[in-house]
Amino acid sequence: MTHALDITIDEYLEIERTYVDAELQRILPPEDEYPQSIHRAMRYSVFAGGKRLRPILCLEAGRLFGTNERPLLRLAAALELIHTYSLVHDDLPALDNDDLRRGKPTNHRVFGEALAILAGDALLTLAFETVAASGLAPPERQARLVKDLAHAVGTRGMVGGQVVDLAAAAHAEENSGAGPPDSVTLHYIHAAKTGSLICAALRTGALAAGASEGDVERISAYGAKVGLAFQIADDLLDVLGSSESLGKAVGKDGRQHKSTYPALHGVEESQRIAARLVDEARAVLAPYEERGRRLGEMAHYLITRQR
Ligand code: FPP
Ligand code: MG
């Protein structure tokens, strides 16, 4: 919403969060709309206190290439709906079986498993309805954007990464003592399950603004690097962070035999890898000079955040 560069990154994130939240309020069916139970469940997780990082990255990419209009905001909000669906499903007993998310009981703990599954389904569906009806012109641009977004969250992106993540954890559990997977598999899991959506947020933001192919690829390269760095930071927070500030259990990755960078590379080397990725991501932005400053700051924020 703001272009002012003289406010801190924290102030900037707060303003953007409010801007995204207002759009999410408009998009989600009201709690009293029939059937009320599903709308309550959807809203519960969307408004549970997320940082809105994917929408903010999308908005910033759109602005970098000259758009700051309503269709961009709708797209940004849709990304948060997809992100929230992935968290609701990730927390289910059949997946990570978590009781706490963003400092609150997880969706299935409040609404039951069946409704949590359906709330996730409905959030994903609503996201694509929102993008398809965003009014982005020309229509070919909108179609391309929908295709790229779907690709990023399907089996060649987020869902694929989640599948391999679960398979690796099951393998480690069955073969007690087996360590994390090899570095190529670990890289795939992180880049796919988390990096894909973050990268798509940036890529679709650039597409919405009608950026050139070269710029779309450049911003996607930045997105792939910060997306991977973000998940490494998430792994590190599970080891080094506190459950109070994270709003979820810590130390669970180890207990669940999760494939993580600290488990394979150790804490310090993981910190170095994440920092290197952020440096590389910032270097990708160099041609945009001052216009890319916020994205450069965001890259740094993504690995230094405490929650
Ligand atoms: C925290 O984001 C989320 C992650 C680190 C992503 C983990 C990946 C998944 C849960 C993929 C799940 C996929 C399927 C298909 C179920 P965040 O720190 O931005 O959370 P916030 O929104 O609460 O701030
Ligand atoms: Mg998981």
Side-chain angles (χ1 to χ4, degrees):
M1 190 188 201
T2 179
H3 291 282
L5 286 169
D6 52 357
I7 56 171
T8 67
I9 179 89
D10 288 331
E11 290 166 334
Y12 160 78
L13 291 172
E14 181 57 35
I15 291 168
E16 296 298 310
R17 225 182 339 262
T18 308
Y19 184 51
V20 170
D21 279 4
E23 188 65 11
L24 285 165
Q25 286 288 359
R26 287 186 284 268
I27 290 171
L28 280 151
E31 287 201 358
D32 58 5
E33 182 177 322
Y34 183 82
Q36 290 90 342
S37 56
I38 186 77
H39 297 140
R40 269 203 296 274
M42 292 161 79
R43 282 182 161 267
Y44 175 81
S45 287
V46 171
F47 296 110
K51 298 183 288 294
R52 313 307 192 207
L53 295 175
R54 293 150 191 83
I56 296 171
L57 288 168
C58 175
L59 291 170
E60 208 47 49
R63 290 175 192 144
L64 179 60
F65 301 110
T67 286
N68 194 18
E69 288 162 6
R70 196 56 183 274
L72 180 69
L73 180 57
R74 300 218 112 205
L75 167 65
L79 286 155
E80 189 68 13
L81 299 178
I82 297 176
H83 169 58
T84 307
Y85 126 72
S86 81
L87 299 183
V88 170
H89 280 191
D90 190 55
D91 290 336
L92 286 167
L95 286 91
D96 282 357
N97 192 21
D98 268 305
D99 295 333
L100 204 62
R101 166 77 69 182
R102 296 161 165 174
K104 299 194 163 109
T106 44
N107 197 290
H108 64 273
R109 299 289 296 176
V110 178
F111 298 96
E113 234 177 296
L115 217 50
I117 292 169
L118 293 170
D121 294 340
L123 288 167
L124 177 61
T125 316
L126 181 60
F128 280 98
E129 181 183 349
T130 300
V131 178
S134 71
L136 185 74
E140 306 79 58
R141 188 180 293 174
Q142 179 152 297
R144 158 88 186 275
L145 196 154
V146 169
K147 180 181 81 60
D148 280 21
L149 183 56
H151 183 91
V153 299
T155 57
R156 287 162 174 157
M158 185 171 74
V159 171
Q162 183 74 357
V163 167
V164 179
D165 192 27
L166 290 172
H171 176 81
E173 172 126 43
E174 283 155 21
N175 304 273
S176 48
D182 59 277
S183 63
V184 174
T185 306
L186 183 59
H187 178 279
Y188 167 78
I189 291 171
H190 280 40
K193 82 168 178 181
T194 304
S196 294
L197 183 58
I198 291 177
C199 185
L202 289 144
R203 184 180 178 85
T204 56
L207 282 170
S212 71
E213 269 321 303
D215 282 328
V216 171
E217 289 316 316
R218 184 169 284 281
I219 212 70
S220 301
Y222 163 88
K225 287 180 190 299
V226 297
L228 177 57
F230 182 86
Q231 183 57 54
I232 298 172
D234 205 74
D235 291 354
L236 285 163
L237 283 170
D238 187 71
V239 180
L240 304 173
S242 77
S243 58
E244 295 81 58
S245 68
L246 287 171
K248 62 179 181 182
V250 293
K252 249 199 126 194
D253 289 343
R255 291 195 293 279
Q256 291 192 335
H257 307 279
K258 278 300 166 87
S259 313
T260 69
Y261 271 64
L264 185 65
H265 300 286
V267 166
E268 282 176 18
E269 180 60 11
S270 301
Q271 287 168 329
R272 271 194 291 275
I273 295 171
R276 193 165 59 234
L277 284 163
V278 164
D279 286 345
E280 288 170 9
R282 292 169 80 135
V284 170
L285 299 176
Y288 306 122
E289 300 176 342
E290 193 54 20
R291 286 191 301 137
R293 195 183 109 185
R294 276 291 180 222
L295 283 180
E297 288 178 356
M298 287 288 286
H300 180 70
Y301 171 83
L302 294 179
I303 63 159
T304 52
R305 69 201 164 91
Q306 294 304 314
R307 71 174 194 107

